[in-house]
Amino acid sequence: METAEDLLAGQEDLVKLLKDGIASCHEFQDRQDRVGVWFGISDMIHNFSGRATELDRLHQLVTVDHDLHTDSAAYTVLTSIYGLGGIGKTTLARKYAWTYAEFYDRNGVCINCENGESIRSSFVRLAVTLQLPVVDGDGGPIPVRALASKIYAWFGSRSPSRKVLFIFDNVEEMHGPDGVAEVLPGGLPPGMSRPYVVITSRRSDLIRNGRVLQLDVLTFDDAVALLQFEVPTASRVCLERLVRMLGRLPLALQIGRASCRERV
């Protein structure tokens, strides 16, 4: 039978564990406040060419009037990068995140929206990164909508207020099992800091009341510069001929420059 001393010792151990846990949480929060949260966004793109006008325009679309509706619980400003497959939508979004990392207090999140499972997987991994629970009290998985709300509340309740950029990449459906509507940052309490949102999609009709940046092929000079960055020993004439053949589509140029490296 346990003595009173044993019970007291057990309580002291429990108190110590709780204190250590609280201290660990505070340490984690302090660290995130210093370095920010960078999730799902690939490394810095060093061979990016052109798109300076598009980057400036995207920043204007994402940020203009963003803070005018903080008293509206349902309002979320959405900006979509629209274009054909292989046009460079994801690359532009990644470049934008890196270019304006300081503006967003070094907080950037990319959610893979290829399908419903990839959306949930992204939010689960993000929640784990933020040390948020991903299962309920009965051990079952927390629904993705509730999980997303917890994540937005985590960012929105930080003090001092911090900006965060959310990129929803490769969105094809707004509603349904593969849609993103239920995980977008709407319904936040008035006054809470709201995420900045960028969506990439091949659909021009994805959002009705949002802002859309249509992405076209690279300019001729930018396409040549992209190839020249990867194959600096190739002649200008050769690169121009290859650009004309490939039609200035970024994905095609990536394949073309790989071929150039093998031959040079």
Side-chain angles (χ1 to χ4, degrees):
M1 177 180 295
E2 289 184 315
T3 65
E5 290 78 7
D6 292 334
L7 292 174
L8 182 59
Q11 289 180 348
E12 290 175 347
D13 290 341
L14 179 59
V15 170
K16 184 178 184 303
L17 285 174
L18 289 173
K19 287 182 176 179
D20 290 344
I22 293 172
S24 177
C25 289
H26 288 166
E27 181 181 350
F28 171 78
Q29 183 69 65
D30 291 342
R31 184 171 66 253
Q32 299 309 315
D33 287 341
R34 291 194 305 271
V35 302
V37 176
W38 205 251
F39 175 86
I41 301 175
S42 303
D43 294 339
M44 172 72 80
I45 306 170
H46 297 290
N47 60 344
F48 191 87
S49 179
R51 304 294 200 198
T53 300
E54 288 87 345
L55 282 172
D56 289 342
R57 179 58 178 158
L58 179 58
H59 190 56
Q60 293 174 5
L61 292 174
V62 174
T63 59
V64 67
D65 297 338
H66 178 272
D67 296 326
L68 293 184
H69 302 275
T70 55
D71 58 338
S72 173
Y75 193 87
T76 302
V77 178
L78 303 179
T79 301
S80 174
I81 305 174
Y82 150 74
L84 299 173
I87 205 72
K89 301 180 293 295
T90 298
T91 300
L92 182 69
R94 286 172 50 202
K95 180 66 175 180
Y96 173 71
W98 279 105
T99 301
Y100 290 94
E102 292 301 319
F103 175 84
Y104 291 110
D105 298 320
R106 300 177 299 282
N107 294 309
V109 172
C110 185
I111 303 297
N112 180 0
C113 299
E114 184 177 354
N115 53 53
E117 182 57 36
S118 65
I119 294 172
R120 173 168 181 79
S121 176
S122 289
F123 274 105
V124 167
R125 290 187 292 109
L126 177 57
V128 171
T129 298
L130 302 179
Q131 297 187 350
L132 295 174
V134 296
V135 295
D136 57 26
D138 297 324
I142 295 177
V144 65
R145 182 174 184 174
L147 201 58
S149 296
K150 291 179 181 293
I151 289 171
Y152 297 135
W154 186 92
F155 280 106
S157 61
R158 297 171 75 186
S159 180
S161 178
R162 298 296 183 96
K163 302 185 190 75
V164 57
L165 172 67
F166 268 78
I167 299 171
F168 292 84
D169 190 35
N170 196 27
V171 176
E172 289 302 316
E173 299 293 338
M174 186 60 73
H175 302 281
D178 294 329
V180 299
E182 70 170 4
V183 295
L184 291 174
L188 296 175
M192 180 174 285
S193 177
R194 299 170 187 280
Y196 294 75
V197 178
V198 170
I199 293 173
T200 73
S201 178
R202 291 180 293 180
R203 292 180 50 182
S204 61
D205 61 342
L206 193 68
I207 54 178
R208 295 182 178 180
N209 299 319
R211 296 111 182 232
V212 178
L213 175 67
Q214 182 173 356
L215 210 56
D216 203 348
V217 295
L218 293 169
T219 66
F220 186 83
D221 287 339
D222 287 340
V224 172
L226 180 61
L227 289 178
Q228 197 162 34
F229 182 90
E230 292 291 335
V231 197
T233 57
S235 69
R236 173 83 183 188
V237 173
C238 175
L239 295 177
E240 289 182 354
R241 184 182 300 118
L242 187 58
V243 167
R244 292 189 180 94
M245 290 173 55
L246 297 175
R248 296 179 287 144
L249 189 70
L251 181 59
L253 291 171
Q254 291 178 7
I255 298 172
R257 72 190 183 205
S259 177
C260 282
R261 283 198 300 266
E262 292 175 357
R263 296 184 180 185
V264 172

